[in-house]
């Protein structure tokens, strides 16, 4: 299968691309920065430097593609960037998908479109309260991109699928809040976290598995799926951080009603993923204990990488 992946040099793409190649797919990667994928150069992989908002580049990259997996996004809060780059690029991709007769358009969205949970677990029919999201402009743009995707599926003859997830990790894990926790623990200061809050982490093994299931199953057409590996509390994450940094600091858990830190941490981001389990037979590759061990390993690798880069 010939697959165009946009944004393939990002944290998700860097682990998805090798998995696609290992399954025998031919992969074209479109990204502004393809340097991170240079070590992967092998038969079946083509790297195209360029931006999704560049119509000429998109047309060339998508020629002959059977599938488009759209990962590229700026993560900006700047409305101009969101409109002129992200959403313009999204529209161009959908237009090219229709013209090329692409058999499947897979769009990776985000749990940010749920805004702020009003019930848990959060299923795909949860209201999209983007104005209350931690990044409202980002959430609005992602929601609109979802609607454009579904509209293309309904009127443009392009089979589409949308994925939503909260926080993905692979060999390492990114995220500003995690970096702050690592810095705090390394300084020997206490890690303060709200009680009974956390989120559904997603391992890249499970993301890659879900993508393969979706690409081979027409039952995924026209659907939105939550993806999750296991729910992990902030207290558990904090204890992992203390362990991997060798910190002398302690973990302090405060009642949710007394929490004064980042609002993002004060919710229970537990995703309901029954739809993809029941419709496509998806099952995480590891049990919850295994997912936690994988998350701890990713945090440890991230810390080791950070230490190696320190002067």
């Amino acid at each position: 299968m010939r697959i165009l992946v946009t944004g393939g040099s990002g944290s998700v793409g860097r682990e998805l691309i090798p998995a696609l190649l290992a399954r025998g797919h031919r992969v074209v990667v479109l990204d502004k920065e393809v340097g991170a994928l240079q070590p992967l150069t092998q038969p079946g992989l083509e790297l195209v430097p360029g931006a999704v908002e560049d119509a000429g580049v998109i047309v060339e990259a998508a020629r002959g593609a059977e599938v488009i997996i759209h990962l590229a996004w700026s993560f900006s809060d700047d409305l101009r960037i969101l409109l002129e780059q992200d959403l313009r690029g999204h529209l161009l991709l959908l237009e090219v998908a229709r013209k090329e007769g692409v058999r499947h358009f897979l769009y990776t969205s985000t749990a940010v479109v749920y805004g702020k949970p009003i019930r848990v677990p959060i299923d795909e029919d949860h209201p999209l309260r983007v104005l209350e999201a931690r990044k409202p402009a980002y959430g609005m743009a992602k929601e609109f991109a979802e609607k454009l995707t579904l509209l293309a599926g309904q009127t443009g003859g392009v089979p589409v699928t949308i994925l939503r997830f909260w926080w993905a990790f692979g060999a390492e894990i990114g995220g500003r809040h995690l970096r702050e926790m690592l810095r705090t623990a390394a300084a020997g200061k206490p890690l303060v976290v709200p009680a009974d809050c956390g989120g559904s982490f997603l391992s890249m093994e499970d993301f890659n598995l879900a993508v393969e299931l979706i690409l081979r199953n027409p039952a995924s057409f026209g659907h939105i799926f939550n993806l999750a590996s296991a729910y992990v509390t902030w207290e558990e994450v904090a204890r992992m951080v203390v362990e991997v940094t060798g910190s002398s600091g302690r973990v302090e858990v405060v009642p949710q009603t007394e929490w004064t830190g980042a609002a993002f941490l004060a919710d229970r981001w537990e995703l309901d993923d029954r739809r993809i389990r029941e419709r496509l037979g998806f099952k995480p590759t590891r049990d919850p204990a295994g997912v936690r061990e994988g998350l701890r390993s990713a945090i440890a690798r991230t810390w080791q990488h950070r230490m190696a880069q320190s002067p």
Side-chain angles (χ1 to χ4, degrees), residues 52-53 70 72-74 78-95 107 137-149:
V52 291
E53 66 269 22
H70 184 25
W73 204 265
S74 70
D78 187 317
L79 289 172
R80 188 176 296 277
I81 291 175
L82 290 167
L83 288 168
E84 296 179 357
Q85 296 181 21
D86 295 313
L87 289 172
R88 170 179 164 78
H90 194 85
L91 275 171
L92 287 171
L93 280 167
L94 289 170
E95 290 172 2
Y107 176 53
Y138 169 74
M140 288 169 59
K142 294 293 277 189
E143 179 189 2
F144 188 50
E146 284 192 5
K147 296 297 193 295
L148 291 173
T149 303

Side-chain angles (χ1 to χ4, degrees), residues 1 27 31 52 77 116 121 135-136 167 201 237 242 277 292:
M1 195 179 293
V27 182
D31 201 296
V52 291
D77 290 320
K116 188 173 180 61
K135 291 169 66 74
W167 198 335
F201 286 84
V237 173
V242 167
R277 289 173 181 255
R292 285 174 171 80

Side-chain angles (χ1 to χ4, degrees), residues 20-298:
L20 293 173
L21 291 169
R23 292 188 172 100
H25 298 299
R26 292 169 295 150
V27 182
V28 178
V29 177
L30 173 66
D31 201 296
K32 294 178 181 177
E33 301 290 340
V34 294
L37 294 172
Q38 291 292 349
L40 287 177
T41 52
Q42 57 184 280
L45 175 63
E46 179 182 350
L47 303 179
V48 179
V52 291
E53 66 269 22
D54 186 329
V57 172
I58 287 289
V59 169
E60 288 301 316
R63 184 162 286 123
E66 299 168 81
V67 171
I68 294 178
I69 301 176
H70 184 25
L71 306 177
W73 204 265
S74 70
F75 299 102
S76 176
D77 290 320
D78 187 317
L79 289 172
R80 188 176 296 277
I81 291 175
L82 290 167
L83 288 168
E84 296 179 357
Q85 296 181 21
D86 295 313
L87 289 172
R88 170 179 164 78
H90 194 85
L91 275 171
L92 287 171
L93 280 167
L94 289 170
E95 290 172 2
V96 168
R98 178 182 56 79
K99 291 176 181 177
E100 286 291 321
V102 165
R103 298 193 315 200
H104 203 158
F105 186 97
L106 177 57
Y107 176 53
T108 54
S109 187
T110 171
V112 174
V113 298
Y114 294 123
K116 188 173 180 61
I118 58 174
R119 63 172 185 261
V120 289
I122 305 165
D123 62 18
E124 293 88 349
D125 296 323
H126 184 285
L128 305 186
R129 308 169 71 213
V130 291
L131 291 179
E132 298 181 58
R134 69 181 188 274
K135 291 169 66 74
Y138 169 74
M140 288 169 59
K142 294 293 277 189
E143 179 189 2
F144 188 50
E146 284 192 5
K147 296 297 193 295
L148 291 173
T149 303
L150 294 173
L151 182 63
Q154 293 173 3
T155 63
V158 180
V160 301
T161 305
I162 295 170
L163 296 178
R164 294 174 181 159
F165 54 93
W166 184 69
W167 198 335
F169 69 91
E172 297 186 26
I173 181 170
R176 177 172 61 86
H177 293 288
L178 182 59
R179 291 194 299 270
E180 291 176 353
M181 292 177 79
L182 288 167
R183 283 195 295 267
T184 300
K189 299 177 181 178
L191 284 179
V192 184
V193 294
D196 195 33
C197 295
S200 291
F201 286 84
L202 174 67
S203 77
M204 280 305 305
E205 292 173 302
D206 289 340
F207 178 84
N208 296 342
L209 171 62
V211 167
E212 189 65 22
L213 285 173
I214 287 167
L215 294 184
R216 298 188 179 280
N217 197 330
S220 68
F221 293 171
H223 287 285
I224 299 172
F225 295 112
N226 282 341
L227 279 183
S229 296
Y231 178 82
V232 184
T233 66
W234 285 118
E235 179 180 359
E236 293 175 288
V237 173
R239 297 196 185 284
M240 293 176 192
V241 168
V242 167
E243 180 184 351
V244 304
T245 58
S247 175
S248 59
R250 64 188 183 279
V251 175
E252 295 181 5
V253 182
V254 302
Q256 196 173 356
T257 54
E258 298 176 18
W259 176 250
T260 58
F264 167 68
L265 304 183
D267 288 308
R268 187 177 176 90
W269 284 95
E270 182 179 2
L271 299 186
D272 184 338
D273 64 347
R274 284 178 295 176
R275 180 178 292 176
I276 193 168
R277 289 173 181 255
E278 294 170 358
R279 183 170 289 274
L280 302 184
F282 171 79
K283 181 179 180 181
T285 54
R286 289 184 274 186
D287 63 16
V291 174
R292 285 174 171 80
E293 180 54 36
L295 177 59
R296 182 204 164 280
S297 176

